[in-house]
Amino acid sequence: MPSSADYRPARRVEGKPRVFVTRRLLPETEARMAELFDVTLNAQDSPLTRDELVAAMQSAHVLVPTVTDQIDAGLIAQAGPQLGLIANFGAGIEHIDLSAARARKIIVTNTPGVFTDDTADMAIALIISVSRRLNHGGRTLRAGNWEGWAPSTMLGHRLAGKTLAILGMGRIGQAVAYRARAFGLNVAYHNRHRLPEALETMFGARFEPDLDRLVADADILTLHCPASPETHHIIDARRLSLMKPEAYLVNTARGQLVEEEALIAALVEGRIGGAGLDVFEHEPQVDARLLAHHNVAILPHMGSATFEGRLASGDKVVANIRFWADGHRPPDQVLEGLV
């Protein structure tokens, strides 16, 4: 359990806090921020340079970054003494050095839970897309190569009766498991901690403590764990070699979970059936071999891209800033040791 030192008190800000937002948010969120705070917005919506981030952190009370901003120890060391809150827009906080922020007594918050349904929906969409070769079919039509219906072409696999293996059974993993039952999928999962029996029963999910066995049993392997040093390349060349030749890999979490070069090799050599990818190891750069492969369903990191989710995330950011500026602990404070 965290010690009392982990619960760092906020300090009250007199007047409107100076807030710097690194990317464009929804108009409703930006308007609310302009009403409540002395806010600087990024009208161009282009990722900030390192020097621009330093300048923002030297002048603002609150920095509102996103996953595209690497807030490392070097940046935090250059922050001005007035910076007291990093209010991240999004649930993932792997791009923020929590230890460095803690050393400077800077509180970090995030926006958990708001994108759960959106990301789970996208995972199911990719599962359907890759298993039924929707990407291949669409490309064939657009290229003018469709010669009409035939009983032996564009064959994929039905979902009912297949094993959906879920790596990471947090909010999103559970939401995927809930949806999977409607498609007749058999759910197995691997997680740091086993779920209570009642939840396993509700999801019809089987706990697999051995990750290698889970990978080997999967007809579809879907990833829902956070990015961390422990999960970096958790799906590497060795684990890809354990997958069935007709199995599919789906990733809507973080690109760093997968050794991308090894995945490309497995796809090109036909050692797995296909992949559904919303995230990439070196995004926004995407390897041309993934773009060209006939059975890779590919999206530009849009799992959380709904009006509802982005608005809810903005509401949480605003609430966290208001609590902090009033001298209270923000509701979504991220605590080291609980991430």
Side-chain angles (χ1 to χ4, degrees):
M1 292 295 293
S3 68
S4 59
D6 290 306
Y7 297 100
R8 301 183 294 285
R11 57 180 186 268
R12 186 178 181 86
V13 175
E14 297 300 329
K16 290 185 176 182
R18 295 190 301 276
V19 175
F20 194 102
V21 183
T22 67
R23 299 297 298 267
R24 287 298 306 268
L25 305 180
L26 288 188
E28 297 92 332
T29 300
E30 293 187 344
R32 185 62 173 155
M33 286 183 166
E35 176 186 348
L36 295 171
F37 315 130
D38 179 4
V39 65
T40 299
L41 302 171
N42 182 352
Q44 288 72 40
D45 198 30
S46 55
L48 299 183
T49 66
R50 191 173 182 86
D51 287 343
E52 289 171 331
L53 282 170
V54 169
M57 295 170 73
Q58 288 179 342
S59 63
H61 293 105
V62 180
L63 181 73
V64 181
T66 72
V67 70
T68 62
D69 305 300
Q70 292 300 313
I71 313 300
D72 57 33
L75 279 179
I76 291 171
Q78 298 180 73
Q82 82 296 325
L83 185 71
L85 176 64
I86 298 174
N88 187 60
F89 182 91
I93 40 77
E94 69 276 3
H95 56 293
I96 302 171
D97 192 316
L98 297 181
S99 296
R102 187 179 191 276
R104 287 290 305 271
K105 301 188 183 305
I106 299 170
I107 290 175
V108 177
T109 60
N110 66 343
T111 62
V114 296
F115 298 129
T116 296
D117 287 331
D118 306 325
T119 308
D121 289 346
M122 191 63 79
I124 293 295
L126 285 172
I127 288 167
I128 296 170
S129 182
V130 69
S131 63
R132 292 300 304 274
R133 301 179 70 173
L134 302 190
N135 188 55
H136 188 191
R139 286 185 179 186
T140 299
L141 276 177
R142 290 187 176 92
N145 295 329
W146 188 50
E147 298 178 351
W149 183 90
S152 60
T153 60
M154 293 295 169
L155 301 182
H157 290 280
R158 67 171 57 147
L159 296 182
K162 300 298 190 299
T163 295
L164 175 67
I166 300 176
L167 174 52
M169 201 64 157
R171 291 186 182 95
I172 297 173
Q174 290 179 39
V176 170
Y178 177 79
R179 287 157 172 75
R181 295 198 67 176
F183 292 92
L185 285 157
N186 301 315
V187 175
Y189 75 96
H190 178 84
N191 202 47
R192 285 183 297 178
H193 307 291
R194 185 170 182 173
L195 295 181
E197 183 178 352
L199 283 179
E200 289 186 344
T201 300
M202 182 174 72
F203 298 133
R206 170 178 61 85
F207 177 61
E208 176 51 73
D210 186 327
L211 178 54
D212 285 356
R213 187 177 296 122
L214 181 86
V215 171
D217 288 346
D219 295 306
I220 305 152
L221 174 63
T222 183
L223 310 183
H224 301 288
C225 48
S228 70
E230 293 73 29
T231 61
H232 183 77
H233 286 182
I234 194 169
I235 303 301
D236 56 8
R238 185 186 68 81
R239 287 207 167 106
L240 286 164
S241 73
L242 301 176
M243 294 182 70
K244 299 174 183 177
E246 68 277 11
Y248 307 115
L249 175 69
V250 172
N251 188 9
T252 56
R254 288 291 186 265
Q256 293 79 10
L257 302 179
V258 178
E259 185 181 353
E260 197 164 277
E261 190 63 35
L263 171 62
I264 292 169
L267 289 164
V268 171
E269 296 166 14
R271 290 186 278 109
I272 64 172
L277 305 173
D278 186 42
V279 290
F280 309 92
E281 187 171 5
H282 307 291
E283 61 183 66
Q285 286 75 40
V286 179
D287 195 290
R289 292 169 292 177
L290 290 174
L291 295 170
H293 194 275
H294 70 277
N295 203 23
V296 174
I298 204 162
L299 297 171
H301 201 152
M302 54 189 288
S304 65
T306 66
F307 289 105
E308 296 85 353
R310 296 284 167 84
L311 187 59
S313 188
D315 288 344
K316 276 185 172 285
V317 169
V318 169
N320 284 321
I321 296 172
R322 295 188 73 184
F323 269 78
W324 174 83
D326 287 342
H328 304 299
R329 184 192 307 154
D332 299 306
Q333 181 176 344
V334 176
L335 301 174
E336 277 190 285
L338 297 185
V339 179

